[in-house]
Every structure is written in structure tokens, then in C-alpha cells.
Amino acid sequence: MIAITVDPIDVAAALKSIELEQAGAIDLFLGVVRNSTQARSVNRLEYEAYDRMAVSEMEKIANEAHQRWPILRYTIIHRKGTLQIGEIAILIGVATAHRGDAFVACRYIIDTIKQTVPIWKKEVFMDGEEWVNALFGLS
Amino acid sequence: MIAITVDPIDVAAALKSIELEQAGAIDLFLGVVRNSTQARSVNRLEYEAYDRMAVSEMEKIANEAHQRWPILRYTIIHRKGTLQIGEIAILIGVATAHRGDAFVACRYIIDTIKQTVPIWKKEVFMDGEEWVNALFGLS
Amino acid sequence: MSAFISVLLFGMTRDLTGHSSVLVPIHEPTRVGDLLSQLHQDYPALAGLRTLLVAVNGEYAEVDQEIGPTDEIALIPPVSGG
Amino acid sequence: MSAFISVLLFGMTRDLTGHSSVLVPIHEPTRVGDLLSQLHQDYPALAGLRTLLVAVNGEYAEVDQEIGPTDEIALIPPVSGG
């Protein structure tokens, strides 16, 4: 299952959605809003998505992962809107028979999402805000 | 937190125990009882632990991981007793600032647990049972 | 033939242009590269972006891809999901 | 001096010996290796184990480590946790 949602991500429900009798290993990766970036204090994050394309790009990534590793079930849930410190921005869950595949596939999915999926993150600081990594010359 | 327990592992509680404001990434690994091993159908597993030593060996592994990677918080929970198909035998959770460390540390912890921690798993089949990997000449 | 293409803008491209979508006049046939040139002319601040890609109907497009008024076009500044 | 050492048995070692702990007579001073020899003599089936380690007071021990009646000794057959 792939989804973009404005609601808080329900980890237990996500886990339930990928459980099955053949699975011996599940890797769950959570990307969380942390309270600082390069020593600058973050108040909150704002995520924006080009929903239609973001979902189809995540589908491509999942399909590629499926071809490379024996994935039994997976889920990718990306949240958008305003997120506070400590909230989960993305959950990736991969169920496999053996643990090595779960770790590697999960890592591949998050790394590739960060490269290709049209979702944008704005860091809101005490004294300003900044679209992450958008402009030359900014951090 | 490191624990050995006979009770079902509560994923939400484990996650809560490692959340903190500095964390940008959390990797949760779940080892799950699957319904077959080498094409043989498994009914259930029975885990036995030398509790005192198992906890201290897991502490050593966690300390080593702490020295190698910037882990903010972690939890390791191993269940023992009789486990049915689909139940979680082990949960490892690692919170870090950046995702690479979470994946690598989590993987290190589970791999090393399987090598050194005095916990034993018996597979119970329809037609017999077997301590995993114990004897020469058995699978 | 003269027409308009609607372009969706997200994240930093929306901030730089002040709009969440713009109508760009084109002469058909036109290509992704032509559209980008026009947008850079109208909004010079776009040059400050580390990268600027174009999506056509939800797929990343090359600069030589032909586009028309019925296509869904979006500017894709550097992504930062996850 | 003659004494007994109690040895904890888990998993396959318990199945092979039929006991969850055994009292092994020793002559002090004795070492881990001496205890293992004695156990192998009493329970030849232990030879079928892929590995057999000894823990002394909750720590893996070398064969030349000295042990006595007050130590907590355990046999560690191949582990399979996780």
C-alpha cells in the first residue's frame, strides 16, 4: 500500500497491513521530524506533495524494489501538511522471509524516495523558513 | 532498554520508549515466526533463554553499537516461551539523527544477537521438533 | 498556433513566482525546453534553484518532449521528501 | 579436594542429557576443559553438537579458566535467538 496522508501515521495499522504467515522479518523505517538541522533550532516542518505524481513515483520505486528483492509485502505512507517535532513524516515497512532483504529493500526505498519523489519540505525556524535544499548557496 | 519477556511484544510501546526530539530516523526490526523453514511446515516455535546471560550479552552488543554509531536511543526486546506463526520473537529499535546510522546499527544488533546471545529456538513441526542449528548433520 | 499552457508550481517555485500555477502563452508545437526558457525569462529568480525539472502528465520529461494545452505540466524543484 | 559443580543445561544439551542441570564431581583445582571432558564422558551424545561453549557466571569462558563449586556454570549449545 502506498499513500499520502494529512493524518498522523498509525504505525500499528501499517504494521498490521504487511504481516503475513510467510514473513520472518519486517523492517520498519520511520522518518521523524527532529528539533534541529545543522545546529539551527526547528519549530515545525511543512510538507507539500504533488500527490498524483508522488504516488506514481513511489509505485515505481516499490516495483523496482520488488524486482530486486523477494519482498512479500510492503507499505509506504508519506504524510504532508504541518508536522510538529517528533511526528512521523514517512513510514516504510517491508516484510520478507529473511532479514537481509528487509533491511536492504527498506533502505533502497527511503534513499530513492528522497531522490525522485515530488514532495517538498519547508523547515520553519524561530526566525524564518526555508525549502530544504532548494536553492544554490543555502544549506 | 533490554528485556526478555514471555508476553507478546508491544510495538507501539517499544516505539514510544525510543522517541525523542533529536531523532530524525528510527529503524524498527521485527523478527517474526514464519510458517515454514526449508519447505517444512512449522506449527510453532519454542524459545528458551539463559536469561541472566542473554541480557548481559545483549547489553554488550548494545554498548558496542553505541561506540560505533551515534545512537540516541535503542530498545531490544526478545520474547521467550511458545510463539505462534506471525508472532514477534524479537524487536530491535534504534533512533538516530540520520537514517544511515539507524539501519546499520539495527542490522549489526540483530546479526550479532544471532551469533552470541544464549537463546535457543525449537521448531515444532507436524511430525517432530528440532532445536535450530544445534546438531551436526541436521538442517 | 497560439495557446496557453497551465503550469503547476510547488514548494520553492511557488515562492519564487508568487503563484501556485501560471498560464504560459506558447506557439504550438512547443517543447519542454521552450517552456522552461519562457519561464526563466518571466521569473529570473528560478535560476537560483539547484535543479528544475518538468513533469508532463505526472512523469519526468526530457527537454525535447512536445507538449500542448491538454497536458498537465508541473515544475519540479529539488525534492526533499522523506 | 573433592567437590561437586552444578551445571545448567539448555536447549539441545538438556534434551541430550535428559536433565536441566547436573551435578558433576570434580577434583579441585579444576578447569573448564576438565569439566567438558567429564561431561563428554558421561554424555557421549554431546559430541553431536555443532559447538559447545561454557559460560562461567554469565560470561563465555575459555577452556583453561579455573572453576569451583561457587561458580554458576552453564553449557551453551549453538544459539539460535532472534
Side-chain angles (χ1 to χ4, degrees):
Chain A
M1 206 256 293
I2 293 176
I4 293 176
T5 175
V6 293
D7 300 319
I9 293 174
D10 182 338
V11 176
L15 175 59
K16 204 161 189 61
S17 76
I18 56 171
E19 287 173 347
L20 79 171
E21 297 210 324
Q22 291 79 28
I26 292 177
D27 196 43
L28 282 179
F29 174 78
L30 308 178
V32 183
V33 178
R34 65 195 175 98
N35 65 358
S36 69
T37 177
Q38 288 149 344
R40 205 170 167 197
S41 177
V42 172
N43 273 9
R44 64 175 189 277
L45 291 191
E46 291 177 8
Y47 280 90
E48 179 175 332
Y50 179 15
D51 291 49
R52 160 204 178 164
M53 182 176 172
V55 168
S56 78
E57 287 295 320
M58 288 194 279
E59 277 168 0
K60 285 181 197 169
I61 294 167
N63 290 340
E64 177 70 22
H66 252 296
Q67 285 178 3
R68 294 203 199 180
W69 299 284
I71 296 173
L72 295 168
R73 284 202 185 143
Y74 71 89
T75 184
I76 305 172
I77 305 171
H78 203 305
R79 196 168 162 200
K80 67 174 190 176
T82 299
L83 273 75
Q84 308 298 329
I85 307 298
E87 289 196 290
I88 300 169
I90 188 168
L91 176 150
I92 298 167
V94 177
T96 59
H98 303 287
R99 70 185 182 283
D101 296 318
F103 279 111
V104 175
C106 198
R107 179 81 196 259
Y108 169 82
I109 292 170
I110 180 63
D111 286 354
T112 314
I113 283 174
K114 286 177 172 275
Q115 291 165 12
T116 66
V117 174
I119 296 178
W120 299 273
K121 175 164 59 186
K122 186 165 69 175
E123 291 169 339
V124 181
F125 305 103
M126 288 294 288
D127 56 347
E129 52 184 53
E130 192 176 296
W131 288 102
V132 172
N133 212 29
L135 294 180
F136 287 116
L138 290 180
S139 58
Chain B
M1 205 255 296
I2 293 176
I4 293 175
T5 175
V6 294
D7 300 318
I9 293 174
D10 182 336
V11 177
L15 175 59
K16 202 161 189 64
S17 77
I18 57 171
E19 288 173 347
L20 79 170
E21 297 210 324
Q22 291 79 28
I26 292 176
D27 197 43
L28 282 180
F29 173 79
L30 308 178
V32 184
V33 178
R34 65 196 175 98
N35 65 358
S36 69
T37 177
Q38 288 149 341
R40 205 170 167 198
S41 178
V42 173
N43 273 10
R44 64 176 189 275
L45 291 190
E46 290 176 11
Y47 280 90
E48 178 175 334
Y50 179 15
D51 291 49
R52 160 203 179 168
M53 182 178 173
V55 168
S56 78
E57 287 295 320
M58 289 195 278
E59 276 168 1
K60 286 182 194 166
I61 294 167
N63 290 341
E64 177 70 23
H66 251 296
Q67 285 179 4
R68 294 203 199 180
W69 300 284
I71 295 172
L72 296 168
R73 284 201 185 146
Y74 72 89
T75 184
I76 305 172
I77 305 171
H78 203 304
R79 196 168 162 199
K80 66 174 190 175
T82 300
L83 273 74
Q84 307 298 328
I85 306 298
E87 290 197 291
I88 300 169
I90 188 168
L91 177 149
I92 299 166
V94 176
T96 60
H98 304 287
R99 71 185 182 284
D101 296 319
F103 279 111
V104 175
C106 199
R107 178 80 196 259
Y108 168 82
I109 292 170
I110 179 64
D111 286 354
T112 313
I113 283 175
K114 284 176 174 276
Q115 291 164 12
T116 66
V117 174
I119 296 178
W120 300 273
K121 175 164 59 186
K122 186 166 69 176
E123 291 168 339
V124 181
F125 306 103
M126 287 293 290
D127 56 346
E129 53 183 52
E130 191 175 296
W131 289 102
V132 173
N133 211 30
L135 293 181
F136 287 116
L138 289 179
S139 57
Chain C
M1 197 181 120
S2 204
F4 285 91
I5 278 189
S6 170
V7 179
L8 301 172
L9 302 166
F10 297 95
M12 190 47 128
T13 58
R14 195 185 54 237
D15 284 8
L16 291 174
T17 62
H19 306 286
S20 60
S21 74
V22 291
L23 274 180
V24 181
I26 57 160
H27 294 280
E28 294 190 86
T30 199
R31 293 172 192 276
V32 165
D34 302 326
L35 179 73
L36 276 173
S37 301
Q38 180 70 48
L39 285 164
H40 272 106
Q41 199 173 310
D42 295 350
Y43 303 102
L46 291 176
L49 291 165
R50 284 180 197 262
T51 60
L52 184 58
L53 301 176
V54 173
V56 178
N57 301 320
E59 300 282 339
Y60 285 108
E62 303 291 330
V63 287
D64 61 358
Q65 184 170 334
E66 270 199 31
I67 48 175
T70 60
D71 291 317
E72 180 175 302
I73 311 289
L75 290 191
I76 311 290
V79 301
S80 51
Chain D
M1 198 182 120
S2 202
F4 286 91
I5 279 188
S6 170
V7 179
L8 301 172
L9 302 165
F10 298 95
M12 190 48 128
T13 57
R14 196 187 50 237
D15 284 8
L16 290 174
T17 62
H19 305 287
S20 61
S21 75
V22 292
L23 274 181
V24 182
I26 56 161
H27 294 281
E28 293 190 87
T30 199
R31 294 173 194 275
V32 165
D34 303 327
L35 179 71
L36 276 173
S37 302
Q38 180 71 49
L39 285 165
H40 272 105
Q41 200 174 312
D42 295 349
Y43 304 100
L46 290 176
L49 290 166
R50 285 180 197 263
T51 60
L52 183 59
L53 301 175
V54 173
V56 177
N57 301 319
E59 300 282 339
Y60 286 108
E62 303 292 331
V63 287
D64 61 357
Q65 186 171 332
E66 270 197 31
I67 49 177
T70 61
D71 291 317
E72 180 176 302
I73 310 291
L75 289 191
I76 311 290
V79 302
S80 51

